[in-house]
Every structure is written in structure tokens, then in C-alpha cells.
Amino acid sequence: MSANVEPGTTLPQFRSRALIAIENVRLQGALEGATGRFREGHDRALAELPGSDELSAYFKAVRSATLARLADHLETFESKAQEVGAQVYWARNGQEASQIVVGIAQRHGITLATKTKSMATEEIHLNQALQAAGVQPVETDLGEWIIQLAGEAPYHIIAPAIHKTRGQVAELFSVESGREQSADDIPRLTAEARRMLRKKFLASGLGITGANIGVAETGTIVLVTNEGNAEMVTSLPAVHVVVMGIEKIAPTWDDAAAWLALLARSATGQPLSIYTTAITGPARPEDGDGPKEVHIVLVDNQRSALVGTAYEEALQCIRCGSCLNICPVYREAGGHAYGSPYSGPIGAVISPLLFGLAAYEALPQASSLCGACLEVCPVQIDLPRMLLELRADEVKEKIGPRSLSLAEGAAASVLSHERLMRWSTAALRLLQRPFARQGQLNLPGRLNPLGQRRPPALAQKSFRDMWKDGEVED
Amino acid sequence: MDSQNRVALCVTCLVDQILPEVGLATVKVLRRAGCQVDFPAEQTCCGQPFYNSGFRQQATRLAKRTIEIFEPYETVVLPSGSCTSMIRLEYPHLLEASPEWRERARGLAAKTFELSELLVHQIGWDPAIKASTAGGESLPKPAAAPPKTITYHDSCHMKRLLGLGAEPRQLLERSGCSLCEMDEPARCCGFGGVFSLRLPEVSTAMTAEKVRQASETGATTLVTADPGCLMQMRQLAADGRVSIQHLATILEEMTR
């Protein structure tokens, strides 16, 4: 994650970053193209799966039941993983998790680590911690590598570089390779990436991954990728480190099967991703290759604090990105507006919960509550409900501009008394006369809270006055 | 329901103060469908804007007030999917801490309907049949009148929380409109209440996309059953290529 991104997003920050995305016509096209392809794939792939609605409902029950006994399942996972020779660590927060990983790297004298795409490692700023400790992390998922080269944060939960043009990518590869790369030859660019990354794969002493699923029954980590990089990262180096959010637990393989049946279909429209990798402990003597050590770092970072609260449901997320692809706000504002590795509807809920509501005050507001996210979510997570809860929390904790709370309080008082409302609106009708034109108010810039847009004017006569004056006839 | 259905109109604060013509059209349509319309004069606002922006205390106050005003009536109707969903779906939750108010909220919820829902399911009104004619003859269509091509915007609460989408379309088609669907009829128009004030640029961009999709259908009119959406989309469609109207307005026009 880029070092110069401030943690937290205020409303003015969201607005200005969103405006940059909105005014970038090319970016809007790229966003629509990518999210459109994902949406189409999602709908088609789930329609092709018989009983997918029932599967979603069943899977939601699985996720809910898992969280109800999360600690038990994590302990089962730990003991099973240890039985097969993996080492398991419990990290209370991101800093602890990074320190554990850095410690492992330093103990082995690692200077170069290869990584698969892992949102959890973005969340804990692992790359920064490794670099500070003299360990060079190299992203091997193509999208993640591109944004690493650019020094940027991911733009989307499953497609980190959808905002990059081929020209920008060619430029980055030119700098990295020391040779001029053409933007027009995509196969050539891909081959170049493969060539450069292959060197890193072979030279790496440490492979770092996240985990799509942790299967408690056998202490297994499941990785879902399309590029083959997970194989390279988890087989070549002698040491494999896994960073996993504690909510990624599936108690049994039946649960994991339901999870896998929904994940890739929901995310990209594939029945399964190209590679589904299950890793149960380090290499056995009879294995031809594989790491001698597997270290699994379980990351809490505020997750357990959500269990048993109105926000527990957010932990059911399987990080498919469907909500981003459907969200009309995300599709205009883009991923960077959120200022968090987790963007879109799920990001608007979990970023304040994981990183602090005061810091991310804008995110619960960055939604029109249209409900499309809930409709499309394979786990039926009620994100709109949680956004409303977060907004209520903001009011309770007095987060946000004071002027707004005063205005809302005043408006509510006025609306609680019909006579007061009539008088106030009569007064507003007088005040608005110089500005009202064709149903809109032409307010001078300073007075207009809506920037460019013109707010609506009050109608010359209200419905209630028409009714009172007997004007409502057929 | 019997032939003279009595309904109480909860006209909504937006219609009352900003779009009163929608209220007029709503009353006319209800009367044509055989209803006697009451307008409880004390009504102000269902409280949704406050609920949506996290001001639950204020929302609760207005919810209780709304319940008190409307619970004496047999049937309540609103020309708004979002306000209907507030009363029907949110009031019982908002007031769940008090068993008495929760019951009263549930009581009101059970008899509160969005306009098209009431017309189709409670009354069974067919706009193609002139109610005032004893024989129930169909509206004569002037030979020269071109069919009104419309496209319909599914507002978020109405579609996703109330499950209403077939009803307004049915009424519009039966009234003589030719319906042409947008690519994404249910894509949010960008209003979102307070959202349009907090993130006006994003809101406007969302509205622009909606209006663009509507224009692409070739329809002359974009119809919505929600005053908030109506107000939002009108602000942007000033060039007048597509006329933006409320469901009630079009139904009234087509059944005169």
C-alpha cells in the first residue's frame, strides 16, 4: 500500500477524489467495462448453477453458524494445522501480524519475498513493514504487481489495477525492465511480466499469501487464483507464510465446497478460478517440492469485536467483489475515493469498523442506500442495514459537521408541528422569491451547498393549502 | 374492498411542498378508481430523511406522530415507494423498544400501501376501463393519437424492499402507454435523500447515467413512482429531451 495515502477519509476528501474519477472519461469507461464484465459473468455463472439461490441461503446459514462459534473453530484449525506441521500464530492487530511475519523473515535471513494477492496483507500494510526491515516484497499477481510498481493502493477488491491503461502499464514495465515496452503488444507485455516475475519466483526465499478459506477440519489453507502465481509462491521458497483474517474459517470441507461453488462465480463468472490450491502443512518427505515451513498468522484486527454486535454480519463476506461491481456509487467514484484497501459497499462498512469510524467518517455516507449490494451478494449480507447503523453511530458519537446536526434537529422540530411547518415554509416561499426560477433556486455560489447543482424551489402553493382551499377537485 | 373505498392520503413532504401537482394527480386517479380520499391535515413527514442520516431520535418522534395521525383510518396510500417502505418496514423496527408502539406500528404497516400497489392489488383498478361509465366501456382511443412511449424507473425502495415493479408497469400499459425498458431500470437515480446533499457530484453523475439510459430508449417520458427520484432527475434533465413525470401524473393524463 502506498506510503503517502493518509489513513482515513473525510467527506471533502471523498468528494474531491470521486470528482477526479468522475471527470476522467477514460477511467469511467474502464470502470464500466470491468464492472460490466464482472456483472455479466456473475449473473450468467449463478444462473447456470442449479439451485444457486438455495445455495446462497444455505451458505449464509453456514457463515452465521461459523461466527457463532468462531473461537472453537479457530482452535480446531490451529490444532489440525499444527498436527500436519504448520506453525500458527494469533495476532491481535495488524501491527502484531506484520511483526510476526517480519520476525519469520529475519530469522531466515530473507531479503526477497514473493507474494500472492492478499487483501489482508494490504490491510495490515505488510509490504511497508517488510521494506522497513530490509525485506523486499514482490507482488506476483499481475494487477497487484502493477500497482506495486506504481506505488498505489488497489482500486478494486479482486481487480487491483482496473484503473490502469495499457500505456501506463507499458511505462511501468519499461522502467522496471530497463527496456522500452510497447503498449500495443499485450502478449509481449504479458511475456515480459512473466519473464521478470519468473526471476523473482526463483530467487525468493519466502512466499507470502493470504487465504481465501481456512478449513478447520484439516488445518488447510485454500487459495483461489487465475495466474498460477500461488503455485510458484507456495512451492519454490523454503518458507511459506499465510496471513489470514480470522473470519475466513470454514469448519468443514462441505462448508468450503459451498464457499467455492459461490466464490468464483460471484466474483468473475468462472465456475472455479483456474487454480484452486489446498495447502495442508509443509512439504512431506515424499513431496517433490514445497516449503519446509508453513507459518499461519491469524489476524484479528477488530474482527472479534464485531461478533455479537449489529455488525457481525459483515464478517460473513467472502471478498468476491460483487457489491463493488453493482454499486452505482463505486462505478462513478472509483476505488481510490474510499482511501482504504476495502472499497465499495463492503469497504464502506468494514473500513470504519476495522480502522475507526472517526477516521473513515465519509464512508457510511458514501451510499444512496439503493440496496443493489444486498441483492447481488452471494451471502446476502445486509450492507444497507449496517450503513444505517454506522450513520446512527456517527450521530451518537457526534462525528461529522456540527452544522448538519443542528440543521437536522431544527428540521425535525419544525416537522413535528404542523403549524410551525406551515409558517416556516410560508417564510421560505417569501425568501426564495428572488432566486426561484422554473422550479429551481439560482443561489449565488457561496450560499449553494450543492456546488454546481441547483436545489429545487418550493412550489408556489403547497398541496395542503390547495386542499384546504378546496382546489383539489376532479 | 367495497365500491366506495375510503383511503387516507399520506401525500409526503416532498409532494406537499415541492411537487403538489403529483398530489393533485394522485387524488384524481384514486377518485377515478372509485376511492373517497381523506387528507389528514396534521401530516408532515414520515421521518425517513432523519432515519437515513442516523438521527433516530428525530425519526422516532416523527414516526410516532405519523402513526397517531393515520391509525384511525382503514387504508393509507402514498405516492412514494420510499415513504411507504419507511412506514411499513422501518417503523416496526424503529419502535421495537416499546411493545405498545411496536404494535401500533405493525397495525399501521398492515394497512399502508404504495399507490400502484393499492390500485392493482387492493382495488383491482383497470385504467383501460372508464369507471364512470355504467357499462364499463374501454376508453375510446382517438385514431390520430400516437401511443405515448415511456420508460419506467424502478426506484430503489419500491423495487428492492417492497418488491413492486410489475404493478406500475401494468397500470401504465393498461392506460395506453407503450413501455420501452432502459438497460438498467433499477439502477439508482442518485437521489438517496441526504446523499445528494453530502456527495452532490457523485449523485449528479449517477443521475446523468440514469437520464442517459432513459434517453437511449427513445421514449418521450421517463416515469417514476417516487417523488424523490422525480425531483432528482428533473434537476438534471433541463434540456427537455425526455420529460420526467410521476406515475400518478401519467395515469391521470391517460385516463381523463
Side-chain angles (χ1 to χ4, degrees):
Chain A
M1 182 137 169
S2 172
N4 57 13
V5 171
E6 289 303 314
T9 302
T10 64
L11 205 62
Q13 281 172 328
F14 192 100
R15 266 179 87 170
S16 57
R17 291 179 201 151
L19 192 56
I20 292 169
I22 288 165
E23 291 178 339
N24 185 334
V25 176
R26 185 212 59 78
L27 175 60
Q28 289 295 312
L31 268 175
E32 238 355 79
T35 59
R37 280 190 294 277
F38 287 146
R39 280 195 307 279
E40 189 274 327
H42 168 114
D43 291 345
R44 185 189 21 84
L46 287 173
E48 281 168 359
L49 181 67
S52 59
D53 286 341
E54 287 82 0
L55 182 62
S56 264
Y58 165 76
F59 183 59
K60 185 178 184 68
V62 166
R63 292 298 279 143
S64 177
T66 304
L67 293 170
R69 290 180 45 221
L70 185 59
D72 290 341
H73 294 306
L74 286 168
E75 285 178 357
T76 305
F77 177 83
E78 180 190 42
S79 70
K80 289 296 176 189
Q82 285 167 339
E83 264 174 46
V84 292
Q87 296 172 62
V88 180
Y89 312 75
W90 301 69
R92 258 174 300 218
N93 54 45
Q95 214 187 6
E96 262 183 40
S98 290
Q99 278 166 3
I100 292 166
V101 179
V102 165
I104 295 166
Q106 284 174 331
R107 275 203 306 279
H108 290 84
I110 307 289
T111 53
L112 177 71
T114 41
K115 284 183 79 245
T116 59
K117 187 172 103 62
S118 159
M119 294 307 292
T121 61
E122 291 276 355
E123 176 189 327
I124 66 174
H125 304 297
L126 179 61
N127 286 1
Q128 278 174 292
L130 287 169
Q131 273 158 336
V135 183
Q136 177 59 35
V138 176
E139 297 288 346
T140 64
D141 171 276
L142 193 54
E144 277 284 329
W145 189 46
I146 288 168
I147 61 165
Q148 183 181 37
L149 294 176
E152 289 180 28
Y155 211 80
H156 185 286
I157 284 175
I158 64 162
I162 50 171
H163 60 306
K164 288 291 182 209
T165 64
R166 63 173 78 173
Q168 289 167 330
V169 173
E171 170 86 38
L172 291 165
F173 285 7
S174 303
V175 170
E176 179 69 7
S177 65
R179 279 203 299 274
E180 196 58 39
Q181 305 289 344
S182 162
D184 297 318
D185 194 343
I186 304 283
R188 182 79 187 272
L189 271 180
T190 314
E192 194 56 33
R194 186 173 184 271
R195 190 190 63 82
M196 288 191 276
L197 286 173
R198 184 58 55 112
K199 286 201 229 153
K200 308 287 184 186
F201 285 134
L202 294 169
S204 165
L206 169 64
I208 303 172
T209 69
N212 290 90
I213 311 173
V215 187
E217 198 172 19
T218 52
T220 303
I221 295 293
V222 179
L223 298 172
V224 163
T225 60
N226 281 311
E227 293 168 21
N229 54 326
E231 276 50 47
M232 305 298 266
V233 166
T234 60
S235 309
L236 293 172
V239 184
H240 173 203
V241 166
V242 180
V243 177
M244 185 177 92
I246 56 173
E247 85 283 21
K248 292 300 199 61
I249 284 286
T252 68
W253 273 99
D254 277 346
D255 302 328
W259 192 318
L260 287 168
L262 290 169
L263 179 57
R265 286 182 192 271
S266 303
T268 58
Q270 299 166 284
L272 278 181
S273 59
I274 308 287
Y275 299 87
T276 303
T277 310
I279 296 171
T280 310
R284 317 294 194 274
E286 61 271 22
D287 290 334
D289 48 33
K292 294 193 174 57
E293 295 175 24
V294 171
H295 302 259
I296 304 170
V297 183
L298 301 173
V299 181
D300 187 341
N301 207 22
Q302 294 301 311
R303 288 158 171 77
S304 60
L306 303 181
V307 174
T309 72
Y311 302 115
E312 178 184 301
E313 207 184 350
L315 298 175
Q316 295 175 1
C317 176
I318 61 174
R319 303 286 191 265
C320 72
S322 299
C323 55
L324 274 70
N325 299 327
I326 196 73
C327 178
V329 172
Y330 176 86
R331 286 157 74 182
E332 301 291 347
H336 283 172
Y338 296 76
S340 164
Y342 302 115
S343 55
I346 185 66
V349 170
I350 64 174
S351 306
L353 293 173
L354 297 180
F355 311 132
L357 184 56
Y360 280 94
E361 60 163 22
L363 298 199
Q365 307 296 336
S367 167
S368 64
L369 300 174
C370 80
C373 50
L374 166 58
E375 205 173 38
V376 85
C377 176
V379 203
Q380 295 288 290
I381 297 171
D382 198 342
L383 292 168
R385 176 188 63 79
M386 289 187 279
L387 287 167
L388 283 166
E389 283 290 337
L390 285 167
R391 291 180 186 189
D393 286 347
E394 286 190 334
V395 169
K396 262 184 269 166
E397 293 167 40
K398 302 202 193 313
I399 293 167
R402 177 129 179 79
S403 54
L404 185 72
S405 358
L406 288 173
E408 297 241 10
S413 297
V414 167
L415 289 167
S416 299
H417 304 96
E418 197 267 340
R419 220 171 293 172
L420 189 52
M421 194 205 79
R422 259 189 295 125
W423 291 340
S424 316
T425 48
L428 284 172
R429 282 187 169 82
L430 280 175
L431 285 171
Q432 75 171 14
R433 264 208 215 134
F435 307 104
R437 254 314 190 87
Q438 290 173 321
Q440 293 182 338
L441 293 177
N442 296 332
L443 295 172
R446 271 183 313 115
L447 287 178
N448 189 359
L450 299 184
Q452 299 294 352
R453 276 225 328 250
R454 276 184 243 113
L458 295 181
Q460 279 197 326
K461 193 164 186 180
S462 66
F463 177 86
R464 71 182 61 242
D465 285 342
M466 289 183 192
W467 182 280
K468 190 166 57 78
D469 294 344
E471 291 170 25
V472 185
E473 300 300 342
D474 206 354
Chain B
M1 282 182 119
D2 31 281
S3 56
Q4 189 57 237
N5 300 311
R6 244 192 124 142
V7 297
L9 175 64
C10 182
V11 81
T12 81
C13 57
L14 281 184
V15 169
D16 178 35
Q17 294 296 327
I18 298 178
L19 303 162
E21 68 276 13
V22 171
L24 293 181
T26 301
V27 173
K28 288 185 182 174
V29 167
L30 286 167
R31 285 176 178 158
R32 272 176 219 162
C35 296
Q36 185 186 324
V37 183
D38 291 316
F39 179 72
E42 285 293 304
Q43 62 182 276
T44 53
C45 171
C46 71
Q48 181 170 82
F50 302 91
Y51 179 67
N52 281 356
S53 48
F55 288 84
R56 293 197 176 173
Q57 230 178 6
Q58 288 80 349
T60 300
R61 211 159 125 204
L62 289 169
K64 288 180 176 174
R65 192 174 178 278
T66 304
I67 291 170
E68 276 172 340
I69 291 167
F70 283 97
E71 65 189 348
Y73 298 88
E74 261 176 47
T75 308
V76 181
V77 67
L78 297 94
S80 162
S82 63
C83 305
T84 302
S85 73
M86 182 69 198
I87 293 174
R88 197 148 92 200
L89 303 175
E90 296 300 351
Y91 277 11
H93 289 301
L94 197 54
L95 299 167
E96 66 191 356
S98 152
E100 182 221 332
W101 278 107
R102 191 185 60 220
E103 278 321 296
R104 291 171 74 175
R106 284 189 188 153
L108 180 61
K111 56 190 181 183
T112 298
F113 304 94
E114 180 274 334
L115 179 64
S116 68
E117 180 181 31
L118 183 94
L119 292 170
V120 171
H121 296 301
Q122 304 306 116
I123 297 177
W125 182 56
D126 185 355
I129 298 171
K130 238 188 161 156
S132 56
T133 309
E137 49 190 75
S138 284
L139 286 175
K141 290 259 174 309
K148 196 182 195 67
T149 53
I150 59 139
T151 188
Y152 178 75
H153 161 65
D154 287 294
S155 43
C156 299
H157 287 106
M158 185 152 158
K159 176 86 202 296
R160 296 193 183 92
L161 294 185
L162 298 177
L164 299 167
E167 293 79 356
R169 285 176 168 83
Q170 176 184 319
L171 291 168
L172 288 162
E173 284 181 310
R174 290 297 291 173
S175 77
C177 295
S178 164
L179 176 62
C180 210
E181 298 282 5
M182 289 180 258
D183 278 342
E184 295 177 275
R187 181 177 179 161
C188 182
C189 73
F191 178 53
V194 204
F195 169 78
S196 63
L197 300 175
R198 303 260 183 120
L199 292 177
E201 296 85 10
V202 180
S203 167
T204 301
M206 287 162 70
T207 313
E209 176 59 24
K210 170 98 321 185
V211 173
R212 190 191 64 78
Q213 286 192 15
S215 313
E216 275 185 358
T217 65
T220 55
T221 311
L222 166 56
V223 184
T224 174
D226 232 284
C229 305
L230 177 62
M231 196 179 68
Q232 172 78 8
M233 294 188 290
R234 270 196 187 156
Q235 277 184 36
L236 215 80
D239 63 9
R241 254 186 316 151
V242 179
S243 162
I244 308 185
Q245 302 296 341
H246 191 276
L247 172 72
T249 305
I250 299 299
L251 289 178
E252 193 282 314
E253 195 185 300
M254 300 298 284
T255 59
R256 277 183 199 158

